[in-house]
Amino acid sequence: VTDQNGKETVKAASSKFIVEMNPRDRSKDPTFMEVSENGLVDFGPVHDLGGVPVFNVVYPMKTGDFAFLTVNVSGLWKKLQSPKIGKTGRIAVVDDKGNYLTGFEGDDMPKVAPAVLTKLLTGEGGSEDGIPGDKGKLVGGFRYIPSTKWYVLTLQPQDEAFLAASQMTLQVTIFIL
């Protein structure tokens, strides 16, 4: 909990995440600054805290104080990253500027330039093929996550995604001949 000026007055955390027991000044935190100005609950970007992806939530209370919460999203991230799309396709979460959120930068994650993703991420959702990636063309689907600035994104190598259709076309051609 912070006072109206962003100074922590009450602090509780797991020993794994507590940086220091002394109260911190949160007044320069961009999310705190925005919430203290507009009075609406908001959350900040996902960032790394001791090797764990987290984000801060700032909630204005009726007393004039603010609840400043740090949320650990590592469990959710693991669940999203565990399934594969086909053999090598993956699921990621990106921000509205096309940047992968902290925790989705692994070597097995297909890489797409933020500028390319930004052009795709319009509206509530959709799909696209021929997306230029670091290891060739990709197909992908995306969906906006309501009340966030995030999109969930699936990416799969294009040749892998269309392999079954290509094989069926070949089999039909051989059968006809």
Side-chain angles (χ1 to χ4, degrees), residues 161-172:
F162 297 130
L163 182 62
S166 297
Q167 289 174 338
M168 184 182 295
T169 303
L170 178 63
Q171 289 172 347
V172 167

Side-chain angles (χ1 to χ4, degrees), residues 60-177:
M61 298 190 291
K62 291 180 182 179
T63 61
D65 295 336
F66 296 87
F68 192 99
L69 309 166
T70 300
V71 180
N72 175 349
V73 290
S74 62
L76 174 60
W77 273 201
K78 281 183 185 176
K79 284 182 181 179
L80 288 173
Q81 291 176 8
S82 61
K84 289 196 174 173
I85 312 301
K87 290 183 182 179
T88 61
R90 306 295 290 173
I91 298 173
V93 180
V94 297
D95 66 19
D96 58 351
K97 295 176 181 68
N99 299 303
Y100 290 86
L101 297 188
T102 299
F104 286 97
E105 317 86 354
D107 292 337
D108 58 345
M109 182 64 64
K111 306 293 185 284
V112 178
V116 172
L117 288 178
T118 301
K119 289 179 185 175
L120 294 175
L121 303 176
T122 57
E124 295 298 310
S127 61
E128 187 75 32
D129 60 50
I131 302 167
D134 62 336
K135 297 177 182 145
K137 300 278 186 199
L138 303 166
V139 296
F142 66 93
R143 174 72 53 195
Y144 177 71
I145 303 170
S147 301
T148 71
K149 300 169 189 144
W150 304 343
Y151 289 82
V152 66
L153 174 71
T154 61
L155 292 170
Q156 181 180 17
Q158 185 168 299
D159 56 348
E160 179 184 305
F162 297 130
L163 182 62
S166 297
Q167 289 174 338
M168 184 182 295
T169 303
L170 178 63
Q171 289 172 347
V172 167
T173 303
I174 290 170
F175 178 76
I176 290 174
L177 295 176

Side-chain angles (χ1 to χ4, degrees), residues 17 43 45-47 49 52-58 68-74:
F17 297 112
F43 62 94
V46 177
H47 60 279
L49 179 62
V52 177
V54 298
F55 65 89
N56 297 326
V57 177
V58 181
F68 192 99
L69 309 166
T70 300
V71 180
N72 175 349
V73 290
S74 62

